[in-house]
Structure formats: structure tokens, C-alpha cells
Amino acid sequence: MTGRVVAVNLGAVTEAEWAGDPSGRSGIDKRPVDGPVLFRVDGVVGDFIGERAHHGGPDQAVYAYAEEDAGWWATELGRDIRPGGFGENLTTYAVDVTGAVIGERWQIGSALLQVTKPRTPCATFAGFWGVPDLIKRFTLRALPGAYLRVVSEGEVGPGDPVQVVDRPTHGVTIGEVFRATSLEPELLPRLLDAPDLPESIREKVRRRLAVR
């Protein structure tokens, strides 16, 4: 089955005490839009980002989360989770987001995207959901979703197929990076096999390995 985009979601300005930005504003509350949206190297046009120290930028231009993984959380928490409820720009279906290889490229609409890194749960996410122990639970579940670079700018809309057009042979996945940096440090050496992993993560891995 070919993967597809269920929804493209944009964040509006949300003012809340749990917002991570010093201004008290967050863009985590994202909502589906009806038509195609321009994906640029620096992010998704129309998407508000509050705390730019930890969100946005070329290596985190787009965040994708799988509808199937969202369904698990809906059952776990006993509530509906609409598209955009994880703060994701892309809600996908039949796409192995956790199993995506670092550096693999997705053609969606007229845009070409590249998988870069997993999402790290934060206090803003926990506050948005109103689940105080969400960081721990999200980490243990280890289905973090994927950040992507925009290699070639273009428009992406709901219903667009997600085609994996290139996959590196090193095999280091989003899930492996997440587990290595949070739950299974014995996996850390593997991460250096992925040249497309952002340099900030590669440097942290080298420092951690140096002190072992």
C-alpha cells in the first residue's frame, strides 16, 4: 500500500502557561487545512513556531506523525486525537515513520523531503495534552515521529502520496536514534554511521561515547 498524507496541519498562536517560549506563546496546536501548502527550506508557510531555540530551522522544517501511532495513544488515553494533535505538520497513513532511515527522501506533492531526526518530547507537549507524565510515557512508547528537511521546495496537500525515492544503506532509523539517545545507550555507536543525522546530535553522541 502506498503511503499518503492524511492531513497537512498549521499551528496558530496559542498563549498558555505551559508554552515553552519566554513570550508564553506556542505553535504546538496545529489544525488541518483544506488545500496544498508551500513547504520551504526554513519551514511550512503559515505555520507559527514559538520557541525557535528548540523548534524549526532547516533540520526541523517539517514534523510528521503516523495516524496509526496516534490511534494507539487515543486508545491509551481514552480520548480522540485529531490530526495535528501531536504538533505535527504531516499526519501520514501507511508510512513507517518510526522505521524511516535517517537521510531517506520522500517525494510528496511537488516537494522533496529528507528524514533527519526523531522528535524529543518536552514540557510544552505535556502541558498541551494536560498529561503530567507524558514525557516518560512518550519516551517508553518510543514512537516519536520524524523531523524532515525540505530538499526541494514545493506544495503538499492532503491526499498526496508519500513516495520513498531514496533510502541510505546504513539502516539507522528514526526509532533507533530515539532509543539510543533515551533508552538504549548501547546503540549510540551505530548513530555515527548516519551522515545525514544533524551534526548537533552527532557531536552529542561523540561526547557521550568519549566518557564511557
Side-chain angles (χ1 to χ4, degrees):
M1 179 182 294
T2 301
R4 61 179 172 83
V5 175
V6 174
V8 178
N9 312 297
L10 300 180
V13 179
T14 299
E15 296 187 10
E17 60 182 15
W18 42 258
D21 188 71
S23 68
R25 301 190 302 168
S26 172
I28 194 171
D29 187 9
K30 301 192 189 303
R31 303 297 176 97
V33 295
D34 292 332
V37 176
L38 180 61
F39 281 33
R40 303 184 56 149
V41 171
D42 58 352
V44 181
V45 171
D47 185 38
F48 175 75
I49 298 173
E51 191 188 9
R52 289 192 174 270
H54 297 99
H55 300 92
D59 289 337
Q60 301 180 144
V62 180
Y63 177 49
Y65 202 81
E67 182 181 66
E68 298 91 332
D69 296 340
W72 184 92
W73 280 104
T75 300
E76 175 74 5
L77 298 176
R79 63 182 180 185
D80 292 334
I81 300 178
R82 54 170 174 72
F86 287 78
E88 79 273 19
N89 303 110
L90 289 177
T91 308
T92 65
Y93 177 74
V95 177
D96 186 2
V97 177
T98 303
V101 173
I102 302 300
E104 77 174 41
R105 297 187 174 203
W106 299 356
Q107 183 72 52
I108 313 178
S110 58
L112 181 64
L113 311 180
Q114 184 181 47
V115 174
T116 59
K117 57 180 280 192
R119 183 245 196 92
T120 301
C122 62
T124 296
F125 185 29
F128 174 52
W129 275 19
V131 179
D133 62 345
L134 181 60
I135 294 176
K136 179 180 178 180
R137 293 168 70 175
F138 191 84
T139 300
L140 291 174
R141 184 60 180 165
L143 298 172
Y147 281 114
L148 303 104
R149 298 183 184 103
V150 177
V151 178
S152 296
E153 297 183 351
E155 291 190 334
V156 175
D160 283 348
V162 179
Q163 298 177 302
V164 178
V165 296
D166 182 68
R167 178 172 286 146
T169 59
H170 57 72
V172 178
T173 67
I174 283 289
E176 194 169 6
V177 174
F178 185 81
R179 296 194 312 275
T181 54
S182 59
L183 300 167
E184 303 174 40
E186 64 273 16
L187 297 177
L188 285 170
R190 277 273 294 142
L191 305 194
L192 298 179
D193 293 336
D196 292 305
L197 193 65
E199 183 57 30
S200 59
I201 298 180
R202 291 172 60 84
E203 180 57 31
K204 289 178 183 178
V205 170
R206 286 191 284 263
R207 288 201 301 267
R208 288 181 63 176
L209 292 175
V211 300
R212 285 174 63 174

